[in-house]
Amino acid sequence: MEQRKVNKSVVIGTIGADAHMIGGWVLQKTFKDAGYTVAFLGAVVPQQEFINAAIEINADAILISSMYGMGLLDCEGFRGKCIEAGLKDIILYVGGTVAAPLELDKNWPEIERRFREMGFNRAFRVSTTAAEVVKALKEDLGIA
């Protein structure tokens, strides 16, 4: 299997109709401090905008944030769109309050499984730190 070239570049944003940005700002600063090129898209970002930015900066990963409980819906079909755009190997992360809060508390393993089935490499709980996300990406890129 061919080793992928690592560019240390990521796209970060909040998907769908979600208007929060604090988590994205924290991720942006943490990834920049770790030496990554970051395309920070802000809030209320459509799927295609993530993909376009990933192509533009030759991103290793797309990090999607969602805090309003609709992440499962907003992320449907995302991996397929990445594949269609030529990004079949891009790493996809999602995190935050990605489903209804009660569902998150009662059934996180099921939420995580559903995101994996949708083609995401990892799903992070809202309590995950930005440093933990950087560490996970380094592991997934083989640069840990």
Side-chain angles (χ1 to χ4, degrees):
M1 185 175 184
E2 186 178 319
Q3 180 81 15
R4 103 177 231 127
K5 182 182 179 310
V6 174
N7 299 308
K8 288 191 80 177
S9 58
V10 297
V11 174
I12 298 170
T14 304
I15 197 163
D18 194 332
H20 94 280
M21 290 186 16
I22 293 173
W25 287 331
V26 172
L27 284 170
Q28 176 187 27
K29 180 180 181 348
T30 305
F31 272 93
K32 280 187 175 184
D33 289 351
Y36 286 77
T37 298
V38 177
F40 180 59
L41 305 179
V44 192
V45 180
Q47 288 186 1
Q48 193 60 49
E49 197 170 322
F50 282 99
I51 293 165
N52 294 345
I55 291 168
E56 186 176 322
I57 69 165
N58 196 18
D60 299 307
I62 297 173
L63 288 69
I64 295 174
S65 181
S66 181
M67 287 300 291
Y68 75 143
M70 302 301 287
L72 282 165
L73 293 174
D74 289 337
C75 291
E76 275 186 19
F78 194 79
R79 175 60 77 183
K81 287 181 182 176
C82 288
I83 292 167
E84 287 173 13
L87 301 174
K88 71 178 180 82
D89 294 326
I90 196 157
I91 293 170
L92 298 180
Y93 287 176
V94 64
T97 306
V98 295
L102 288 176
E103 189 177 354
L104 289 173
D105 289 342
K106 292 191 319 190
N107 205 3
W108 175 254
E110 173 64 15
I111 302 290
E112 192 172 30
R113 181 192 65 76
R114 289 170 65 189
F115 275 108
R116 285 198 177 269
E117 284 180 354
M118 291 168 47
F120 282 79
N121 299 81
R122 294 186 191 234
F124 296 96
R125 292 176 181 261
V126 71
S127 59
T128 305
T129 68
E132 290 170 322
V133 178
V134 170
K135 182 179 180 216
L137 185 58
K138 285 180 178 180
E139 290 171 5
D140 289 349
L141 291 173
I143 59 173

